[in-house]
Amino acid sequence: MGEQETSLEQNSRPGSRRLRCSDLLSLKTPRDRIGKAVRQAQIDALVRLVPATVAIQVLTAAVMVVGLRDTTDNFQIGLWFGAALLLCLMRGARAVRLRHDPEYAEQYPAKTGTICLLIAMLASMWLVPPLFWFETAGPSQKIFMCVVMAALVSAGSITLVSLPQAAILYVGILTIGCVSLTLRLGSPPMFGLVIVYSGVLIVNVVSTARQFIAHSRDRIELREQGEIIKLLREFEASGSGGLWELDGDLSFVKMSPELLAPNGLREEQIVGRHYSWLLDPAGQVVAFSSGMRDLFSDLESGTPFRDRAIPSPDHQRWWSISGKPILDEKSELVGWRGVASDITEARLYGNDSVRAARTDPLTGLANRLLVRELLEEAVMRQWDNQNGCALLLVDLDRFKLVNDTLGHAIGDQLLVEVGRRLQGSVGEGGRVGRIGGDEFAVVWGGGSDRLQLAAVADQIVADLSKSFNVGAATLHVGATIGIAVCPTDGTFEEQLMRNADLALYRAKEAGRGGHAFFERYMFDEAEDNRLLEQDVRQALGGDGLGLAYQPIIDADSGEVVAREALLRWRHPKRGEIPPDQFIPIIEDAGLIHQIGDWVIREACAEAATWGSDMRVAVNISAAQLSGAGLARTVLGALAATRLEPSRLELEVTENVFLGDDAATLASLERLRGLGVRLVLDDFGKGYSSFGYLSRAQFAKIKIDQSFVRGAAEGAKDCVAIVHAILALARGLGVETTAEGVETEAQAEVMRLLGCDQLQGFHFGRPVRANELPRTQRQDSRRSA
């Protein structure tokens, strides 16, 4: 970095060279950024002096009026003074507004040509007295007029010197007035003196302006040198790196030889070229490099970036680029400055920070960043040779069990062993990386043949299913794999990563321990679920979601003793969405707590309007049982609606016990302590239902509809199971409800077997609250 700073000090002082007069006096705005900044400094210096110069001009004009009022037509001199006063006030007001109103200054910036026009008009106003009123003036007034003109010439050369174009124009016009005075006085010596004096003033203006411009340029360049040195130190540019700079149009202004040489370029070849000409001349790299797309986006939006890794257009090298936007005084983007380094070798070999940022510290494999870069390389090679490539996402099965039972230290050692075994399974055909947790990735560059990829996936599953010896422990895990193939399943890294993840999700659904290739329908389903998630979020804030209530009948009397609140969603375009479609989406989106709490409050509010004995049943998911939040919601709903706790039934299924049994039981105990009734839904479907009943005190169990149908059809096993459930319920002193009763025959069988309550379409379909009668009594033998 020290060599770069020395080179910077030696080579970045173009502003100190001598300015040509044509550049010094040009009215055009400079095209280079430094020139623009210097010109703005010139204008700012002049604008700061405007209020003072305007005051002097107005005072001088007033003195001129007083001195000439006895010898000059008062109307003429009044008209002249009014015009001069108006011009000075307009100039002063604009200067004040330019300094104190940023929006005005941005919309109507001061320009060299406009300033020169105003100065010319003001100077021309001072030609009126010597040209039109000199002859009628008295001797003392003529002398006064000469003194005033000389003073104005001198003052203008001083106050306008920061902008020599305006100063020379002002001095030149007033010199005309002074020359006319000398001619009318008939004094050749005075004529010559005026010419010499004006020439000296103009030379002094040019000399002083050169110094002002040089000092301003040096000040700006010195500040930028400090910023560049700070940039180098901040980004810790290595010896293989160099500097680059863009202008406001995102075209190259300069580039270090260290960056030009590897590309076989000279600086004059790139100056003025848009950045994309060098980074992606064919417009192909950005199509499959997310790093390049991010870089382009940052440059266009003015967002600073650091260590953005991008491939070279020839796909042979990798560069790490960092940059900061250059902002002017108005915080507007006027360019970019940054550093770049060749990291082709460093990111794969060695021990420096570049490689460390791309290595998983636990396994030593490629991390997510390097996996992305390797995948981009594979895609680009595929583009060149059409051999194809693929991404395999490998997720370990049962790894959480190892962590939970043996600890994270053993789990970490297992991950290291898995990484080694994966490398052996893949061989030379791919690169293995760990992208987080127990998920690994294989970037396969050995073609896109699906039979070969399936064989590789089967080999990985077989190898990872073998036992691992970690310390004294013998561990068994498995693997599930999702595969995305390029170019069939995507042509850039983001697509392949997303599609491989979708395939992995589908492989897990199929039972784990296998693999799945991405298919288009997976994306369509995921996209449909994403849109449904957006819609359900909107429905939650509107009136799309609602509750429907299904009656629960007393088996003996036929009286409606309770109603189950069921969540329903009427989509504005799709109509009624079945619960089995949107409930999983609600759970995956993390909305189950928000929506579940709303269901409890709504159901309690509705039940408060029913008869004094009728209960309301609400389904609770396993996710809602975590923590004490559900108990607080129930307590708040009961208090707000004044509903008796015993009239609220909370239904849970057996899968709530598949996680932390202790936490689940504690949550259920908090709810039971509030006085609400706990109901075990779909009883009999699990493999240890009796064990759940012994660990939690339920007020009711609901017999799954599959046993209801089987018993009604005379299936001996179903009849035996129902008998067993009913006997167990009577022994525990809990109620029973037969679910899914759809015919009178099913109802009669359940009644004869001894069920306490019946529920199903035979007694009524779920209906919205506004369709419910306030009292409902019906014969259980009457079909709905």
Side-chain angles (χ1 to χ4, degrees), residues 368 392-400 435-440 461 478-483 499-518 521-522 588:
R368 180 179 289 273
L392 291 78
L393 292 185
V394 182
D395 188 74
L396 298 185
D397 301 333
R398 300 181 298 278
F399 176 75
K400 185 176 183 301
I435 59 178
D438 60 346
E439 190 170 9
F440 294 79
V461 171
T480 305
I481 302 175
I483 308 172
N499 292 341
D501 196 54
L502 290 173
L504 176 61
Y505 181 78
R506 187 50 54 98
K508 289 179 180 179
E509 284 188 335
R512 296 180 176 269
H515 68 269
F517 285 91
F518 171 77
Y521 77 88
M522 299 178 187
D588 291 342

Side-chain angles (χ1 to χ4, degrees), residues 38-48 110-112 115 163:
V38 171
R39 176 62 60 86
Q40 188 61 47
Q42 292 177 265
I43 293 174
D44 290 343
L46 186 145
V47 170
R48 282 196 298 270
K111 298 180 180 179
T112 306
I115 292 174
L163 197 64

Side-chain angles (χ1 to χ4, degrees), residues 84 104 110 161 224 261 327 445 466 469 534 553 654 659 672 729 732 776:
Y104 175 81
V161 69
E224 293 199 348
L327 307 177
K466 297 176 182 177
N469 295 316
Q534 291 181 354
I553 307 300
E654 295 170 0
R672 198 178 64 82
L732 295 174
Q776 179 175 338

Side-chain angles (χ1 to χ4, degrees), residues 206-261:
V206 172
S207 176
T208 306
R210 284 185 187 277
Q211 294 180 15
F212 180 90
I213 292 173
H215 290 160
S216 298
R217 183 179 288 272
D218 288 345
R219 185 178 68 254
I220 293 170
E221 290 180 343
L222 185 62
R223 183 178 71 241
E224 293 199 348
Q225 288 176 24
E227 292 176 353
I228 292 174
I229 292 172
K230 181 180 177 182
L231 185 76
L232 289 171
R233 289 172 176 165
E234 180 180 349
F235 291 143
E236 299 178 351
S238 62
S240 63
L243 294 166
W244 56 269
E245 187 173 329
L246 305 177
D247 60 18
D249 297 325
L250 302 184
S251 298
F252 283 105
V253 174
K254 66 176 66 172
M255 181 178 286
S256 298
E258 296 88 347
L259 301 180
L260 292 168

Side-chain angles (χ1 to χ4, degrees), residues 596-610:
D597 291 351
W598 172 83
V599 170
I600 291 173
R601 293 192 296 268
E602 188 76 9
C604 288
E606 173 61 26
T609 66
W610 301 342

